[in-house]
Amino acid sequence: RQLADLILEKTPECVLTHGIATTNPEHFCTSLLTTQSYWLAVEEGYRGPLLHWREGQTRLGEFHCRWETFVDYTPYLDRKMALIGLHRCQMPKAHLPTFGHRTLAVRWGQACGCGAAEVFSWVRRADYRDDQGIIYPPLTLELIRNTR
């Protein structure tokens, strides 16, 4: 309930979370919490999309690693690694060029035709409408343009 209220209060353009298909219990629980809270917020008027992030491998089979859209964050890769490095379990390795999150970002970037990317699957697309029809904010528009 608290997360649904936070979504309604902040009205983010998009809600992004881990995918359900993961072998990491923290990621799985985060996904369930966020997805349930998202649908509560939708019932109360939230109109933004929900996307599940795809991990590199899940040991649950190739199907669970498929993706539909991506965000190109090539210029922000180093900043992302610095932020990941603040997470206690990622210290002190996040700055290394061989760090798993960096190599995964580059691998997804190659698959998407850019330097670094995060890939997602749509759970629900945005429902932004006004008198002129559908209006999409910038991140949502990028996700729609990058949908395959």
Side-chain angles (χ1 to χ4, degrees):
R1 182 68 254 174
Q2 288 176 324
L3 182 53
D5 290 343
L6 187 62
I7 292 169
L8 290 166
E9 175 189 333
K10 301 295 183 181
T11 60
E13 180 181 338
C14 297
V15 175
L16 310 170
T17 190
H18 290 283
I20 295 289
T22 178
T23 54
N24 182 318
E26 291 176 0
H27 294 184
F28 177 76
C29 292
T30 299
S31 180
L32 285 177
L33 170 70
T34 305
T35 301
Q36 290 287 59
S37 300
Y38 171 84
W39 287 112
L40 285 173
V42 166
E43 289 173 9
E44 295 180 30
Y46 178 69
R47 298 166 65 186
L50 172 63
L51 294 106
H52 281 174
W53 176 68
R54 290 291 158 207
E55 300 193 30
Q57 56 82 25
T58 64
R59 297 183 182 167
L60 297 173
E62 183 179 312
F63 174 79
H64 298 292
C65 292
R66 293 182 183 164
W67 54 275
E68 300 170 309
T69 189
F70 68 94
V71 173
D72 174 1
Y73 69 97
T74 305
Y76 307 104
L77 179 57
D78 290 332
R79 177 71 178 132
K80 177 185 176 181
M81 292 304 107
L83 290 169
I84 287 175
L86 296 174
H87 195 291
R88 186 161 189 80
C89 72
Q90 305 297 335
M91 294 177 182
K93 299 176 184 175
H95 69 284
L96 298 174
T98 57
F99 183 65
H101 288 287
R102 180 180 293 275
T103 59
L104 182 59
V106 171
R107 192 179 98 204
W108 284 130
Q110 291 169 343
C112 299
C114 60
E118 290 285 357
V119 296
F120 301 91
S121 291
W122 292 98
V123 176
R124 179 177 185 262
R125 295 182 189 236
D127 182 26
Y128 297 118
R129 298 178 189 277
D130 69 4
D131 299 350
Q132 306 299 314
I134 298 175
I135 305 265
Y136 295 114
L139 177 58
T140 304
L141 188 57
E142 179 182 353
L143 288 161
I144 289 169
R145 285 183 181 148
N146 292 340
T147 296
R148 54 184 190 146

